[in-house]
Amino acid sequence: MAKGPRPERVPSVVGTVAAVIGLMDIAAGVFPRFRFSRIHALAEVLPGAVTQLAAAASIVVGILLLMLAHGLKRAKSLAWWAAVIVLPVGAAAHLVYRHSIAGAVFSLLLFAYLVRHRNAFTALPDPRSRWKALANFIVMSCASFGLGWVIVGSHPDQMVGDPPVLEQAEHVLWGLFGFEGSVRYTGGVDYIVGYSLGALGLLTLATTAFLAFRPAYPAAVLTEEDEDRLRELLAKHGERDSLGHFALRRDKSVVFSPSGKAAVSYRVVSGVMLASGDPIGDVEAWPGAIEKFMELAKRHSWTPAVNGCSETGGEVWTRETGLDALEMGDEAIVEVADFSLSGRSMRNVRQMVKRIERNGYTTKVRRVGDLTPEELEVVQKAANAWRDTEEERGFSMALGRIGDPKDLDAIIATAHKEPEEGEDLPFGDLRAMQHYVPWGKDGSSLELMRRDRSADPGMNELLIVAFLQAAPELKIKRMSLNFAFFRSALERGGKLGAGPVVRIQRAVLLFLSRWFQIESLYKFNEKFRPRWEPRFIVFPNSRDLPRIGFAMMQAEGFLELPRLLRRRPAPPRTDDMENERVEQAEVTRAA
């Protein structure tokens, strides 16, 4: 006996059908000949396919169906409600306007199919989006109706007869939905008025659908209690992962295992629930935290992904969730005991550091807690002033703050040079800085590098060497540098005898290095002779990789959406935090 699609496949099937119909409707509106083709004749039996409506109505319905399809594919409960309301209306439209019994039957069958599989559409909407969508619909509808009335009455000389006010209002109402009203014009004004009304209706529906079906983007809810719990876990298990301290970013959220012995920090970006690094805490409790993470992603229909986990973390993630993993690059780790400036391999770094020191530069390496308030204020102001972007970059290897009272064990390395005569510098003799966050009890991770643009080249090399030389006194045994993305592909592709596939990969990476720091980061890290630790991306399917990559670049600050499309998370509020805790408690009880 033939079986229907699996429950998890139902949203995808329904969403695909809606998307196909939407594309047909858009094509029918944009290309007039399509409405008379055999393909469109076959589409007569599909719900939402329009033939007798104006071109504007076709575009309106098509875009609405495409937006609805996205929500259905993501199993959004709000999209399900919209579909079960729209489909009976579509069936009535088939009977009233097309006299198509087949189309009405198909609509009702699809309606029954959705009702039967109601449990497949459980993803929660964003409450803020829902109310914004309703408010947008009311405001835009009123504005469109008023503007449409003005448009209908703005051509009295071309209007046939003298239609009463009620008939003009009816014409506006039908026109907003793409139908032709009863008012007639001469000289081709019918098309101008019709397209104008249709465009107003399109704008109203498109903006409302966008607000209703866009993925939830919750406010950051890393409360003080959550942060304290994370710090306790890091104090016990922080040496496992060099990225552990970055879980304390306050624009991240966190989900804990039922035992409270492990946690996963994350941020939602463009519908992707993006974790970074390994779970925090006891490895034995990682599966519980991962399970809670996946439950929350499923409940909101977010795409789960992990950015930059270790090999051990990747094995646990893939084993517990069935997700796939892909090597994204390598992390450069320098062992303090093995570092030395002597030897031929370190000649370039040694010569650069000596040259800079001869030019009058000095360095200081101290705990943040050892800086005076005045020194810390200068460092903070300089870090903001020397930033080359409007907003702070970073997600997986960035903390986003310097000098927080809870981060006094972090380390600041600074480069200084007295201003020359007549030289006016806003930050005195400070010329460059680096900020290192704790990695367990005896390690540090490089978090930030900033320099004055007028400073000599080589400031980063100078400060890294100064840090490594001061590390024994600070009881630091290891240091984590930057990621080198796709390092192995760059290295293998440049070796003698490399195959054509590897050479092509290397050529593509070198081409992309013109815009992104791929090759330059690899070469910079390689100067310090580190050991390389592979890092991985964990993802559901290969088709999700472009979307996850886009979300990762947004999170790291390399891509910014236009301001009209950008959604900033609201500042944390007490009710937001409480709702999130209640929601997570409900997930635990359901499990």
Side-chain angles (χ1 to χ4, degrees), residues 210-232:
F210 172 77
L211 292 172
F213 301 121
R214 63 178 176 174
Y217 189 0
V221 289
L222 189 65
T223 64
E224 290 187 12
E225 178 185 353
D226 292 337
E227 185 174 341
D228 291 340
R229 293 176 65 185
L230 282 175
R231 290 184 183 275
E232 291 178 5

Side-chain angles (χ1 to χ4, degrees), residues 448-460:
L448 176 142
M449 298 187 294
R450 296 279 164 80
R451 61 184 290 271
D452 187 346
R453 293 184 181 275
S454 65
D456 292 0
M459 289 292 103
N460 290 328

Side-chain angles (χ1 to χ4, degrees), residues 448-495:
L448 176 142
M449 298 187 294
R450 296 279 164 80
R451 61 184 290 271
D452 187 346
R453 293 184 181 275
S454 65
D456 292 0
M459 289 292 103
N460 290 328
E461 289 86 343
L462 173 69
L463 290 177
I464 289 175
V465 170
F467 175 88
L468 290 170
Q469 291 175 340
E473 183 179 348
L474 296 170
K475 299 181 180 180
I476 300 297
K477 297 181 180 180
R478 53 187 175 169
M479 178 187 67
S480 170
L481 283 170
N482 301 297
F483 280 178
F485 292 95
F486 308 108
R487 181 201 66 87
S488 58
L490 286 170
E491 186 179 49
R492 291 196 307 267
K495 288 184 177 180

Side-chain angles (χ1 to χ4, degrees), residues 32 50 70 91 101 112 132 148 165 175 185 255 260 321 359 414 461 478-479 503 586:
V50 291
H70 179 69
I101 297 178
K132 284 183 179 179
V165 172
Y185 297 88
V255 58
T321 64
N359 290 342
T414 54
E461 289 86 343
R478 53 187 175 169
M479 178 187 67
R503 288 181 181 274
E586 291 176 352

Side-chain angles (χ1 to χ4, degrees), residues 145 149 152 159 162-175 181-183:
F145 184 82
W149 202 335
V152 169
M159 190 178 294
D162 187 17
V165 172
L166 185 60
E167 186 176 349
Q168 294 183 31
E170 182 182 356
H171 185 87
V172 173
L173 184 61
W174 287 114
S182 57
V183 178

